[in-house]
Amino acid sequence: MRADPNLYDYWPYTDRPKIVWPGGKKLAFWIAPNVEYYEFEPPVNPSRPGWPRPTPDVVGYSQRDWGNRVGHWRLMELLDKYDMRGSVSLNVAMCDHCPEIIEACVERNWEFFSHGVYNTRYSYGMDERQERAVLEDSIRTVERATGQRIRGYLAPALTHTERTLDLIAEYDFWYTCDLFQDDQPQPLKTRSGKLVSMPYSLEVNDVIAYGALAMDPWRYADVLKRHFDQLLAEGEETGTVMCIPLHAYLVSQPHRIRPFEEAIRHVASFRDDVWITTAAEIAGFFREHCWDASLADIRRRGLERPGTGFQAEAG
Amino acid sequence: MALPDDYLSYLKRRRGQDHDLYSHALAKDRAPKRLPDGAKVAVSFIVPLEFFMLNPSGKPFRHPGAMQTPYPDLRHYTTRDYGNRVGAFRLLKVFRDVGVKATFAVNGALLARVPPLIAAIRAEGHEIAAHGWDTDSIHWSGLDPAIEKTYVARTREAFAREGLDPRVWMSPARQQSSHTLEFIREAGFDVCLDWEVDAVPIAARTPAGEVRLFPVLNELDDRLILTVKNHSEDEWRDQILEAAEMMRAEHSKTGAQAFGLTLTPYVAGLPFRICALREIVEGLARGCLVAPAGTVAALL
């Protein structure tokens, strides 16, 4: 076990090379609807139970199913109204369980990235062969259902092993949403590939906001607006990224969706300065236009440390 | 089975404290203190800069903010790291814009990991305090005193290597053993941020000399207010400004008072909190003497 994963180098949020997003935009904004399947009776992972209560946890299970039957459609309609595309954080088994959602997202040219097979199958304890099987399943399943080659990853239920990021880089993923150290993308130190750390967010994630932080619907909208205003102002100096990670079983609840719409309306009203896009488009742009300059800046400042993730202890 | 008889014997039951670290003295009996330029209240911003390792032992308890999910908990590692990469620079900018100096309490183990941050803090004239070695080196009564001394010594050495000679100390998790004050005083620290004893800094006695206890208000801790009690940003701001306003209103009766409040970079430095943070710093700077803890401890 290591004290420091050495997945990226320390890089202070000041005097970085300026990022200007396409069209001269200051802030790249993306929305990540998590389209998930939590199994009714998941197998046991020794490190973590599938549900907080004994299975079947009918309250927890049915609320998530409500998210797919009712909530997703409400959220999609809202995003349609503001001409915003989602980047779907997908438990890929949803392609089998609920192809209707997948088809509706494809029709809208939404992006898909892998969020594992099920949200009740954790990476803890997997060997390399098993982790590869999950990644290959993800790529194959989404390609078959949508024609898209997935380029992003968010580990199911945010569970990792030391090799997860090396493996996704090897499979030519462009970005990971698993790391939260920054409001700008950064190159990651994987053994191969060109993997970008994509700002996702826990703090403005609806799970954390409504749950751990106990925000009411209006406060969440207010927090999102403040978050957006600050990152937009900073984007003047160098382009920032804001993501709103969502779960239809939470945000689409009848008491929440309209207050949430106010935040989306706020974002949409700044379209001239904001690149409303998908994670893959941000990652693609960053890899092409900002990757080398970022590494060069880290090197110039003497902040580059040897080794790759989990391979060499830093400092 | 009953408890042993001595469970009902009270050896230190007496007027004043049940320890000898400082004297019993009530705030109301104190001669009023004065601050320069007629300032009524002194405030210090305490910014903890901490290293949260991916593999903490969690002993004797898990440091607030430490890893929570099974290894490798990249989620909490990176959210804490956000404070040192991004959040701390937002705090610095607000301090710069308003023109105030703060106290940055730094884990010894972090110094070599974030040189540009340390350089920025020094260049802008803020105070640097020692915040122990790291978040997994907690001072507590079950710790062998010889080991505790090494925690203090390696922290002192790490600062010395950077050409820094801090006098102000904050323990990891603000947890102490019964030896901590003595050991830090031996190592040249004479102001401590762990104790909220009074409304002004007070002196603690140790065999190695005196340590000034600078009051950092636990109830105004940003991490507690915002992430444990889940108050809103506006409520966070209002409580802090109310504290300062109340102390100002008391001035004619009590004389000058002081308090410290923590601004945790991975909490206060998040984008959606900067607007309230700015209002807090501006609001306090308008009506109070805002200065580093070491400075305030020397003034009062």
Side-chain angles (χ1 to χ4, degrees):
Chain A
M1 295 211 298
R2 292 173 186 279
D4 177 341
N6 196 29
L7 285 165
Y8 52 81
D9 291 321
Y10 180 74
W11 195 27
Y13 187 57
T14 177
D15 304 320
R16 291 180 180 173
K18 182 170 177 135
I19 295 176
V20 180
W21 300 117
K25 307 287 171 90
K26 300 166 185 164
L27 169 65
F29 176 84
W30 66 290
I31 292 183
N34 282 265
V35 173
E36 296 175 329
Y37 202 98
Y38 294 72
E39 295 159 283
F40 196 54
E41 292 183 313
V44 173
N45 182 304
S47 293
R48 181 174 158 179
W51 291 98
R53 294 180 180 188
T55 57
D57 183 341
V58 299
V59 172
Y61 178 91
S62 58
Q63 183 180 341
R64 284 157 184 79
D65 198 27
W66 176 94
N68 292 333
R69 293 168 69 105
V70 182
H72 174 80
W73 307 91
R74 212 173 249 167
L75 177 61
M76 199 162 55
E77 199 173 304
L78 170 64
L79 297 183
D80 284 349
K81 184 170 160 189
Y82 292 91
D83 195 22
M84 292 183 183
R85 285 181 294 154
S87 304
V88 174
S89 168
L90 183 69
N91 290 154
V92 299
M94 277 293 286
C95 296
D96 305 298
H97 289 289
C98 187
E100 296 91 337
I101 286 183
I102 309 301
E103 286 155 16
C105 295
V106 168
E107 272 171 32
R108 288 162 174 76
N109 194 26
W110 285 19
E111 185 208 338
F112 298 89
F113 64 91
S114 174
H115 190 25
V117 178
Y118 286 105
N119 226 42
T120 37
R121 301 281 176 124
Y122 310 128
S123 313
Y124 302 134
M126 283 191 189
D127 66 14
E128 183 169 334
R129 184 184 53 87
Q130 292 170 318
E131 274 202 276
R132 285 183 185 278
V134 170
L135 296 176
E136 289 168 13
D137 184 339
S138 296
I139 295 168
R140 191 177 57 238
T141 302
V142 177
E143 202 146 45
R144 199 175 51 217
T146 72
Q148 261 185 49
R149 164 58 221 260
I150 52 171
R151 295 298 179 189
Y153 195 69
L154 174 67
L158 304 185
T159 65
H160 308 91
T161 72
E162 288 192 347
R163 71 178 88 76
T164 304
L165 297 187
D166 272 333
L167 287 180
I168 64 174
E170 183 191 317
Y171 281 97
D172 200 20
F173 283 64
W174 293 355
Y175 69 93
T176 170
C177 302
D178 290 290
L179 309 176
F180 304 93
Q181 75 283 355
D182 219 290
D183 292 312
Q184 290 189 306
Q186 181 176 354
L188 291 174
K189 295 161 68 170
T190 50
R191 273 185 301 211
S192 64
K194 200 171 174 182
L195 187 68
V196 174
S197 176
M198 177 63 59
Y200 182 68
S201 175
L202 288 178
E203 305 287 345
V204 299
N205 186 312
D206 60 349
V207 172
I208 307 295
Y210 295 134
L213 296 175
M215 292 183 197
D216 66 50
W218 297 275
R219 174 153 184 242
Y220 182 43
D222 181 49
V223 162
L224 289 172
K225 288 188 220 171
R226 290 173 187 233
H227 201 76
F228 173 83
D229 290 347
Q230 180 70 27
L231 289 172
L232 179 58
E234 291 175 8
E236 188 107 29
E237 222 164 284
T238 171
T240 46
V241 175
M242 175 172 170
C243 172
I244 307 181
L246 295 170
H247 300 71
Y249 73 86
L250 296 170
V251 71
S252 294
Q253 294 286 340
H255 59 300
R256 289 183 178 141
I257 191 81
R258 292 203 295 191
F260 174 73
E261 180 173 356
E262 292 310 307
I264 293 297
R265 192 200 312 278
H266 181 76
V267 171
S269 70
F270 288 89
R271 266 210 152 84
D272 290 349
D273 287 329
V274 180
W275 184 29
I276 298 173
T277 184
T278 63
E281 287 175 7
I282 299 169
F285 181 89
F286 185 87
R287 281 161 44 108
E288 194 174 334
H289 301 284
C290 315
W291 176 279
D292 294 341
S294 301
L295 290 179
D297 187 61
I298 291 167
R299 213 169 293 133
R300 179 185 64 77
R301 297 189 192 205
L303 296 170
E304 188 183 31
R305 297 175 305 176
T308 58
F310 294 101
Q311 298 305 304
E313 184 88 15
Chain B
M1 205 170 85
L3 297 170
D5 286 346
D6 66 1
Y7 192 74
L8 297 184
S9 73
Y10 311 100
L11 299 179
K12 294 178 177 173
R13 187 173 179 175
R14 63 191 181 200
R15 182 182 172 88
Q17 265 40 65
D18 53 352
H19 62 73
D20 299 318
L21 286 167
Y22 50 78
S23 306
H24 173 62
L26 301 181
K28 70 181 181 61
D29 301 328
R30 181 173 55 228
K33 306 243 182 194
R34 299 282 167 234
L35 285 166
D37 304 323
K40 296 177 175 174
V41 178
V43 180
S44 301
F45 297 115
I46 313 296
V47 182
L49 299 180
E50 300 158 308
F51 176 54
F52 289 100
M53 65 291 298
L54 198 55
N55 59 347
S57 74
K59 300 213 168 91
F61 58 83
R62 200 169 59 193
H63 190 292
M67 304 302 102
Q68 293 175 29
T69 68
Y71 179 89
D73 185 355
L74 296 176
R75 159 181 176 178
H76 289 97
Y77 183 90
T78 56
T79 48
R80 303 313 176 235
D81 203 25
Y82 179 97
N84 297 332
R85 289 168 63 95
V86 181
F89 288 94
R90 292 203 179 103
L91 267 53
L92 280 170
K93 180 167 193 316
V94 172
F95 295 151
R96 182 166 60 240
D97 291 349
V98 183
V100 298
K101 305 297 179 206
T103 297
F104 286 75
V106 188
N107 282 165
L110 191 74
L111 286 169
R113 307 182 69 87
V114 297
L117 174 56
I118 304 300
I121 293 165
R122 297 176 77 167
E124 299 194 20
H126 298 288
E127 176 178 65
I128 293 190
H131 191 9
W133 178 246
D134 65 21
T135 55
D136 207 31
S137 301
I138 292 177
H139 299 242
W140 66 294
S141 53
L143 194 62
D144 179 342
I147 293 176
E148 184 176 4
K149 278 195 176 193
T150 67
Y151 288 179
V152 178
R154 70 194 298 201
T155 302
R156 175 54 85 191
E157 285 157 19
F159 282 89
R161 271 197 301 278
E162 303 294 326
L164 288 160
D165 185 25
R167 290 175 42 216
V168 180
W169 172 277
M170 183 159 80
S171 301
R174 297 176 74 205
Q175 173 72 28
Q176 297 197 345
S177 78
S178 53
H179 300 293
T180 305
L181 286 174
E182 178 186 350
F183 291 173
I184 63 170
R185 184 66 185 80
E186 277 174 0
F189 297 100
D190 61 5
V191 177
C192 179
L193 306 178
D194 297 341
W195 298 67
E196 175 190 342
V197 180
D198 205 324
V200 293
I202 66 153
R205 290 179 295 267
T206 83
E210 198 178 280
V211 178
R212 306 272 290 162
L213 305 180
F214 178 90
V216 177
L217 298 191
N218 309 322
E219 296 287 328
L220 290 183
D221 181 278
D222 60 339
R223 195 187 56 79
L224 284 177
I225 288 180
L226 294 164
T227 75
V228 178
K229 301 178 183 179
N230 299 326
H231 298 179
S232 72
E233 286 64 38
D234 288 353
E235 290 166 330
W236 171 49
R237 173 200 64 203
D238 291 349
Q239 291 173 79
I240 290 169
L241 297 181
E242 169 63 16
E245 192 53 48
M246 168 62 191
M247 286 183 165
R248 266 198 299 276
E250 274 187 334
H251 180 262
S252 61
K253 196 172 60 180
T254 62
Q257 303 184 83
F259 68 100
L261 60 103
T262 39
L263 298 175
T264 309
Y266 66 84
V267 177
L270 291 174
F272 64 90
R273 296 196 170 120
I274 297 305
C275 158
L277 173 74
R278 188 174 289 275
E279 290 164 354
I280 288 167
V281 177
E282 284 172 350
L284 293 176
R286 265 197 300 276
C288 305
L289 170 72
V290 176
T295 307
V296 175
L299 287 172
L300 285 177

